[in-house]
Amino acid sequence: MQRQLTLKYVKQTIGGMATAAKVLRLEGEERETCKLGFYNLGMTIAQRIRLKKRSTMGIKGLQWFVANTCPDACTMVNLKEMAEKHHSSHPDSPPVIVVDAMGCIRHWYTPESWVCGGQWQEYLANLQDFIKAFMAADIKLVFCFDGVVEQKKRDEWVKRRLKNNKEIARIFQFLKSYRQQPGRGMFFIPSGLATFTRFALKSLGQETICSLQEADYEVASYGLQNNCMGILGQDTDYLIYNTSPYFSIDKLCLDRMVTVMYSRENLCHTLGLNITDLPLFACLLGNDIVPEDILEGFWQKCVASCPPKSQNYDKRANTILAVASYISRVPCSYGSLKDLEEMLPLASDKKLLYRGVESYILPGQQSPWLPPGVSNSQIHLVKQETAICPDQEIFQLAKEQHVRAENYMVYNVLSKGEVECSNTLEDELDTELPGQALIYRPVRQHIYSVLLESGKDTCGAYPIVKEWFVYFGNPMEQPDLVQPMQLDIPDSLSKLLECHSFTTAILILYVDSLSLEDLNAFVAHTLCLQGKSAAQLAGLQLLTQGLGIERQCNIYDRFQSNSRVSLYSQKEKEYLWHLRD
């Protein structure tokens, strides 16, 4: 019975997440302005995911360097014309652009009232216009989202989350001081937008995938293995990977279908390097694996041995040129890499540089800076992964849904027992309102117990789940160790599980912090779903009887008084009226 419940929950996650996206849209239009922006109802399923500003992702300073000192590496191209040429040379395959979705969300989300979040209809219209423009050019889009945080990048992930906390504090200080919407210069992507975007794109018929590894790596691999026309994003790591051409989302003019294409070949020509040198070049400039603070002494030596070529260059540009000059002068071999590892203050982690270079090696590729025959070990780790969930049927189902971007966090719980939730727009000085990460932890504990039922030991104890959740007072030096809690479901709610959402049942049972208004709105959306059979509706009638007549009336009144009732289909209205009667 418990195993069936676990399977049911994993299968129903897509329905629950789609409902969350729908609730987010409604609440973004109805709730009081500031209350919504800081504490959105759609985050009740632990999906309040904040996105890092990605315009400067990758190697620090390299984007500016390429744009200002390597004009030959930046070419304005017409994507429609490129698609026609691609189709002529590859008549059997349509031109495909793989999109780094997390790097493009800032470009798609343009509403001015960003601090309140919830501008979902306007955002959805932007996505539709974006897709139509590429369809008109006969270009297929494949959207890739971040699905995991790899252990080798956990320290960098934590560092960015703590930095984001400071940005959020400044936003709240501005709101308290000026009582008005902050300008675009303080823009911070609304919580939950990544989750909503996945389901929005899927509802628009787009192919959407979620990564099992670092998303940048999977985007680059997809482009290489599928002979894609290019990669669309804003991350200089795509200049380092030896993969499809890299197009800029920031420079994209949708009306004319033109953007900047960055050429790694021309960049190498300017730097005096080979394409196979770029992974080492990126590591010696500092990236998500090799921190900049251990490289400063090395940079000073490089600059000392390579005087600046121009007084017009800033310090970072001169460092980039000096590092490139150093690499061009040493033999291209694994021995040279080992010499560098001895030179750098890597402390006990002497393989740091090795792992950094290896992380850029795509399937089927090798590097002259690594031992012969060495490929990226991450490929083998994903193929040979061991999960804390011993039930392979459940694990495989969760993995497949994860890759198809049909759920979030379920696969991470079942595979490694480790999950994360990024920053949300919460005021750390508001002591009356606890952080969402803490409020919804009891909900997650019950969900973990269902997911990890088959992983209990001989004493009946569940595996511990590691949570990297951002909330005020959490230094994030270590994950929070969370114990799953057994869920006891009353008979009055059993029908809800059969009809729709496990998560909704948990919310009704265990989340005391939701206001009655919030819960009514959430339940109303959960129950008003198309495609229910007569038997399911009968089950919902039993459920509403269990909720009590007062709650039923509140749900109905909330629905009927909704000034934006057009969000519901006629069939959904009939379902809710049927339940009330």
Side-chain angles (χ1 to χ4, degrees), residues 195-216:
T195 299
F196 178 84
T197 303
R198 298 178 195 186
F199 288 96
L201 291 171
K202 292 178 79 68
S203 72
L204 295 173
Q206 299 304 295
E207 183 175 349
T208 308
I209 58 179
C210 196
S211 70
L212 295 171
Q213 301 171 249
E214 173 69 23
D216 295 349

Side-chain angles (χ1 to χ4, degrees), residues 101-115:
M102 301 293 274
C104 295
I105 287 181
R106 286 176 59 84
H107 177 85
W108 296 328
Y109 192 89
T110 58
E112 289 300 319
S113 299
W114 58 268
V115 78

Side-chain angles (χ1 to χ4, degrees), residues 75 105 130 141 143 308 389 413 448 565 573:
T75 306
I105 287 181
F130 183 85
L141 299 176
F143 297 86
C389 172
V413 171
Y448 297 155
V565 74
K573 299 174 193 175

Side-chain angles (χ1 to χ4, degrees), residues 283-296:
C283 292
L284 291 179
L285 289 176
N287 56 16
D288 288 349
I289 297 177
V290 184
E292 293 183 17
D293 54 5
I294 69 171
L295 295 167
E296 292 180 356

Side-chain angles (χ1 to χ4, degrees), residues 103 161 202 227 241 246 273 318 364 412 455 461 534:
R161 304 290 85 73
K202 292 178 79 68
N227 194 29
Y241 289 110
Y246 162 36
L273 299 176
N318 287 325
N412 294 340

Side-chain angles (χ1 to χ4, degrees), residues 119 128 175 191 200 237 266 282 288 303 307 314 322 326 336 378-379 387 426 439 475 480 535 546 556:
Q119 308 299 319
Q128 289 174 318
L175 289 169
S191 303
D237 275 337
N266 290 344
D288 288 349
V303 172
D314 64 7
Y326 175 88
S336 297
Q378 286 296 117
I379 302 172
E426 297 176 326
I439 287 179
D480 292 333
Y556 173 73

Side-chain angles (χ1 to χ4, degrees), residues 33 40-41 102 136 160 175 191 211 216 260 262 271 279 361 504:
T33 302
N40 200 304
L41 173 61
M102 301 293 274
R160 288 174 180 167
L175 289 169
S191 303
S211 70
D216 295 349
V260 169
Y262 297 105
L271 297 174
I361 309 305
T504 305

Side-chain angles (χ1 to χ4, degrees), residues 4 19 30 68-69 78 86 107 117 180 191 208 266 278 303 334 358 367 378-379 406 424 456 524 543 577:
Q4 292 175 347
T19 302
E30 288 194 335
N68 291 275
T69 66
N78 186 297
H86 186 278
H107 177 85
Q180 64 181 23
S191 303
T208 308
N266 290 344
L278 289 178
V303 172
Y334 177 51
E358 182 190 44
S367 170
Q378 286 296 117
I379 302 172
E406 293 176 355
T424 52
K456 290 195 294 187
L543 169 63
W577 292 328

